[in-house]
């Protein structure tokens, strides 16, 4: 089973485990703030790049960010996220992945059908961060877009992503495709999906063959006393080296049993 997806490492400068976001200050001019059209920006540092984003864009869809924005604030002058000088540092996140997540969020904000032209790698980035930061709707969108034929995830890559990001609906189709293909699981593929999973898959696919058995049946007619010989062939699934025609078999029951699906 896949490892549990870790929560994001979002930290303060000098306090790696306590994320803090800028508080809502009263307007110094004394004017009131519009409840819908007054946005609060947050500054993030990802690798060597600063991002300034409306807080509402993140907290609307992510439990992680929503909870983070509710944390008590420190000194208003130095609180992380308030300015470029004191950004919220997103450790362990790449700029490319964060860009893909923000583009997908903006597309969802301006229309559910937009963003479908994003390429496969961008949607994989979205799947990664949406899983990490509990963007449930965005995660479902990424799974949907990656599951269409033109994205062409090969079975190993699909299984790798399913295990890493807990996409359970991809497990059986990916395992079945690997069980049915003619090529064995390579060492590199074993590293990618985990050697324990590779061994389980090998136990399903590598030791199955279809054996043709000639069977003879003799029947004696009671009225004439003559004996008739009938010959026919049957095919049995038996242990042994892999047979070419075994690639056509439905391995679903074996996979479900071995992988406890």
């Amino acid at each position: 089973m896949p490892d549990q997806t870790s929560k994001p490492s979002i930290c303060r400068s000098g306090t790696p485990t306590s994320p803090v976001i800028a508080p809502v200050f009263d307007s110094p001019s004394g004017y009131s703030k519009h409840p819908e059209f007054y946005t609060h920006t947050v500054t993030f540092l990802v690798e060597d790049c600063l991002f300034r984003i409306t807080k509402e864009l993140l907290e609307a869809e992510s439990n992680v960010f929503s909870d983070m924005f509710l944390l008590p604030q420190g000194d208003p002058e130095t609180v992380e996220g308030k300015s470029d000088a004191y950004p919220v540092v997103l450790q362990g996140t790449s700029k490319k992945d964060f860009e893909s997540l923000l583009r997908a969020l903006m597309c969802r904000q301006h229309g559910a059908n937009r963003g479908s032209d994003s390429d496969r790698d961008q949607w994989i980035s979205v799947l990664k961060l949406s899983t990490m930061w509990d963007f449930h709707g965005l995660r479902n969108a990424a799974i949907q877009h990656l599951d269409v034929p033109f994205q062409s995830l090969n079975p190993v890559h699909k299984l790798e992503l399913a295990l890493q990001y807990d996409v359970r609906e991809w497990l059986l189709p990916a395992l079945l495709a690997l069980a049915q293909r003619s090529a064995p699981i390579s060492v590199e593929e074993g590293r990618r999906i985990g050697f324990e999973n590779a061994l389980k898959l090998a136990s399903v696919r590598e030791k199955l063959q279809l054996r043709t058995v000639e069977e003879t049946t003799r029947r004696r007619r009671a009225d004439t006393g003559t004996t008739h010989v009938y010959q026919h062939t049957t095919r049995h699934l038996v242990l042994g080296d892999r047979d070419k025609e075994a690639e056509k078999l439905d391995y679903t029951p074996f996979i479900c049993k071995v992988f406890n699906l």
Side-chain angles (χ1 to χ4, degrees), residues 201-231:
L201 190 57
S203 72
V204 172
R205 71 179 303 282
E206 302 298 342
K207 292 299 182 180
L208 294 176
Q209 72 170 7
L210 285 172
R211 176 174 295 172
T212 301
V213 179
E214 296 283 347
E215 294 185 353
T216 301
T217 303
R218 297 177 181 273
R219 293 181 181 177
R220 183 174 180 177
R221 296 187 57 174
D223 54 344
T224 63
T226 58
T227 299
H228 294 267
V229 178
Y230 301 91
Q231 288 189 330

Side-chain angles (χ1 to χ4, degrees), residues 58-71:
L58 299 173
E59 68 181 353
E61 295 206 41
S62 167
N63 293 331
V64 170
F65 283 100
S66 178
D67 292 344
M68 186 173 66
F69 294 138
L70 295 176
L71 292 175

Side-chain angles (χ1 to χ4, degrees), residues 237-248:
L237 193 63
V238 297
L239 291 175
D241 294 332
R242 184 176 177 84
D243 188 281
K244 186 69 175 177
E245 293 193 34
E247 297 168 20
K248 302 175 184 178

Side-chain angles (χ1 to χ4, degrees), residues 1-2 159 162-163 166-177 197 200-201 204 251-261:
M1 297 300 297
L159 179 58
L163 294 168
D166 195 24
V167 187
R168 294 188 61 85
E169 58 265 43
W170 287 357
L171 290 174
L172 183 57
L175 289 167
L176 181 59
N197 291 317
K200 288 180 179 180
L201 190 57
V204 172
Y251 292 82
T252 300
F254 300 97
I255 292 172
C256 290
K257 181 178 180 179
V258 172
F259 287 89
N260 195 28
L261 298 181

Side-chain angles (χ1 to χ4, degrees), residues 121-134:
D121 290 341
Q122 289 174 323
W123 279 116
I124 291 173
S125 294
V126 173
L127 176 62
K128 174 183 177 180
L129 295 188
S130 65
T131 301
M132 183 185 298
W133 291 333
D134 292 343

